[in-house]
Amino acid sequence: PYDRLVLALGTQTRIPPLIRQTDCIPLIPFHTLSNALAILTQVSSASRIAIIGGGINGVELAAALCSRGVSVLLIERATHC
């Protein structure tokens, strides 16, 4: 289980059907500055984060959170070379 779940998606927010938002696990898209501020608020006390989406936004967010000492699991459905 994760303390918080952050979704960092591309231009369209598509939440996988197996993932449901709860009061304990907020789902936050990452497109705007206000989204980024919401993410920072949510992760301030988290020690582990899962990011769904390995595009530039997801990778940059993962790097930023790692630099804050957060353990990050980056989930990507596509294969990479």
Side-chain angles (χ1 to χ4, degrees):
Y2 293 95
D3 298 316
R4 299 279 188 242
L5 174 64
V6 177
L7 294 182
L9 304 169
T11 58
Q12 292 182 322
T13 301
R14 290 172 287 165
I15 298 172
L18 296 177
I19 298 175
R20 298 285 180 243
Q21 180 165 337
T22 68
D23 290 338
C24 297
I25 304 174
L27 304 177
I28 306 170
F30 184 38
H31 301 290
T32 66
L33 177 58
S34 62
N35 295 148
L37 295 174
I39 290 169
L40 287 177
T41 299
Q42 290 291 326
V43 303
S44 62
S45 63
S47 60
R48 296 182 298 161
I49 300 288
I51 297 175
I52 300 174
I56 189 68
N57 287 345
V59 172
E60 288 293 327
L61 180 59
L65 293 173
C66 282
S67 72
R68 291 173 168 256
V70 177
S71 176
V72 176
L73 173 63
L74 185 60
I75 302 166
E76 172 59 43
R77 71 178 178 166
T79 59
H80 293 278
C81 297

